[in-house]
Amino acid sequence: MAGKPSLHPGAWWLWSLGLGTAATRTTNPLLLALLVATSAYVVAVCRTGAPWARSYSAFVKLALAVLAVRLFFAVALGSPIPGTHVIVALPEVPLPHWAQGVRLGGEVTAESLVFACYDGLKLAALLICVGAANALANPSRLLKSLPGALYETGVAVVVALTFAPNLIADIQRLRAARRLRGRPDSGVRGLLHVGLPVLEGALERSVALAAAMDARGYGRTAEVAPAVRRTTAALTLGGLLGVCAGTYGLLTAVGGAYGLPLLLAGVAAALAGLRLGGRRSPRTRYRPDRWDVRAWLVAGSGAAVAALLALAAAGDPEALHPGVVPLVAPALPLWPAAAVLLGLLPSFIAPKEPSSPRGRRDQEAVVTEESP
């Protein structure tokens, strides 16, 4: 019996980006920990046994490394945050006059460490939320859903994603074969003897794939008027610049007035450009992913978390940004915490990916599922 249809991968990315946006609006460690716990619970409930589902732990390790680096810089290079609770006094290295404002060593205060920890936790939570999307969304299906204007980019990335596991498997197979023959499989010598056969096999697969794609008509484009091409380029480039400027405005305190309108205008212009650009790559999709009610609910839950946390940051900034001078214990604001819990909605409505031959085909050879 066939299971429920799979959730659109774009919904997972919108949900995770919503949680990540919410993480950028606060430095409260309790709210950040709640955001991380929400993403971890949804990943634990909804992820499958696919290879990309194991990437969440890698993002968690990366987030911990970022936090450790942020604390190290606060200890080694000092912090602009004044403090009276000195933890340790390190030897200070004298610097020339042109390096004023930079300090190596010196006193390490509790206030500076707490400030660095809050700042590092915000970036760590953002990375973990993005890692949730990587663990939940099928990257091949996501690229297959790209608009026609990004067709060539999508094909290139799909080919790269398809070949990467093959390269890893080849390396493991060749290293095992060298160990069985009593030959070294590590170091510079082992790398040279393993790398050459791997590159040779990758080249052969590339030539075979290029021939197969050429036989299926990949790379064909339709004739488009020059005026349409120029309009498409202007809309797409202007829209992307608007998205970047609007996002920067939303992430800064001084750009809140123009950030959202500029972001919306940029998104509209970019979508119009992609719509026009799709005329030069007419194609059909085999078994396209449908954006259904569940996808709207999953994406909407992430957007709701981001919007409510932004409202909370504007209405009660002290609760979402606890002070460090003087040192105070952070408190958990109730209604922002309840807003974060809306991110748990996908764990109740999102189905798991079916473990079927179709799912395995999606993982191994998605390129063949598209036809021009």
Side-chain angles (χ1 to χ4, degrees):
M1 181 182 296
K4 293 182 180 180
S6 302
L7 189 69
H8 196 286
W12 285 124
W13 273 100
L14 292 177
W15 168 81
S16 67
L17 290 177
L19 295 186
T21 303
T24 63
R25 310 310 298 176
T26 179
T27 56
N28 190 315
L30 301 179
L31 286 177
L32 292 173
L34 190 59
L35 282 168
V36 171
T38 298
S39 68
Y41 181 79
V42 174
V43 169
V45 171
C46 299
R47 71 175 175 179
T48 63
W52 59 82
R54 296 189 290 270
S55 64
Y56 186 74
S57 59
F59 277 87
V60 173
K61 295 176 182 177
L62 177 61
L64 294 177
V66 167
L67 180 59
V69 169
R70 182 65 180 87
L71 292 174
F72 171 76
F73 281 133
V75 172
L77 303 179
S79 174
I81 301 300
T84 57
H85 299 81
V86 179
I87 298 177
V88 63
L90 299 176
E92 186 171 353
V93 179
L95 297 176
H97 67 279
W98 51 264
Q100 292 182 0
V102 179
R103 177 172 61 85
L104 295 178
E107 294 182 347
V108 179
T109 63
E111 289 84 354
S112 64
L113 284 181
V114 171
F115 176 79
C117 183
Y118 288 176
D119 196 41
L121 279 175
K122 181 169 67 173
L123 181 56
L126 175 60
L127 289 173
I128 291 175
C129 291
V130 173
N134 283 271
L136 294 170
N138 186 326
S140 301
R141 284 175 45 208
L142 178 64
L143 291 169
K144 191 176 67 172
S145 303
L146 287 176
L150 303 177
Y151 167 66
E152 290 85 358
T153 303
V155 170
V157 177
V158 167
V159 170
L161 291 173
T162 305
F163 272 60
N166 293 330
L167 290 177
I168 295 174
D170 287 347
I171 292 173
Q172 294 175 347
R173 176 176 54 81
L174 290 171
R175 291 184 64 184
R178 289 185 63 82
R179 285 195 299 268
L180 290 175
R181 295 185 177 96
R183 298 176 181 176
D185 64 320
S186 59
V188 178
R189 183 179 178 183
L191 180 62
L192 292 176
H193 286 85
V194 171
L196 292 178
V198 168
L199 292 177
E200 182 181 358
L203 181 60
E204 292 178 355
R205 282 194 300 269
S206 299
V207 172
L209 179 62
M213 293 175 68
D214 183 68
R216 288 170 173 82
Y218 279 84
R220 295 184 300 176
T221 57
E223 291 292 335
V224 179
V228 175
R229 287 201 302 269
R230 288 192 291 268
T231 304
T232 300
L235 286 174
T236 304
L237 182 59
L240 293 178
L241 291 176
V243 169
C244 294
T247 303
Y248 176 79
L250 288 177
L251 295 179
T252 58
V254 297
Y258 68 85
L260 183 59
L262 193 58
L263 177 62
L264 295 177
V267 170
L271 291 177
L274 293 177
R275 180 78 175 180
L276 285 175
R279 294 182 179 181
R280 66 184 298 269
S281 298
R283 63 193 181 106
T284 58
R285 292 186 177 92
Y286 178 62
R287 291 180 178 176
D289 291 300
R290 303 297 180 183
W291 190 276
D292 54 9
V293 177
R294 291 178 294 112
W296 281 112
L297 291 175
V298 170
S301 65
V305 173
L308 292 175
L309 262 291
L311 290 176
D316 190 7
E318 294 182 358
L320 270 69
H321 299 277
V324 296
V325 180
L327 282 175
V328 293
L332 181 65
L334 293 182
W335 80 263
V340 172
L341 295 180
L342 292 176
L344 293 173
L345 183 63
S347 62
F348 300 100
I349 64 175
K352 291 186 176 181
E353 297 281 350
S355 298
S356 62
R358 179 190 173 186
R360 290 190 293 271
R361 286 196 302 270
D362 286 344
Q363 301 171 23
E364 297 172 357
V366 178
V367 177
T368 60
E369 290 193 356
E370 296 182 358
S371 60

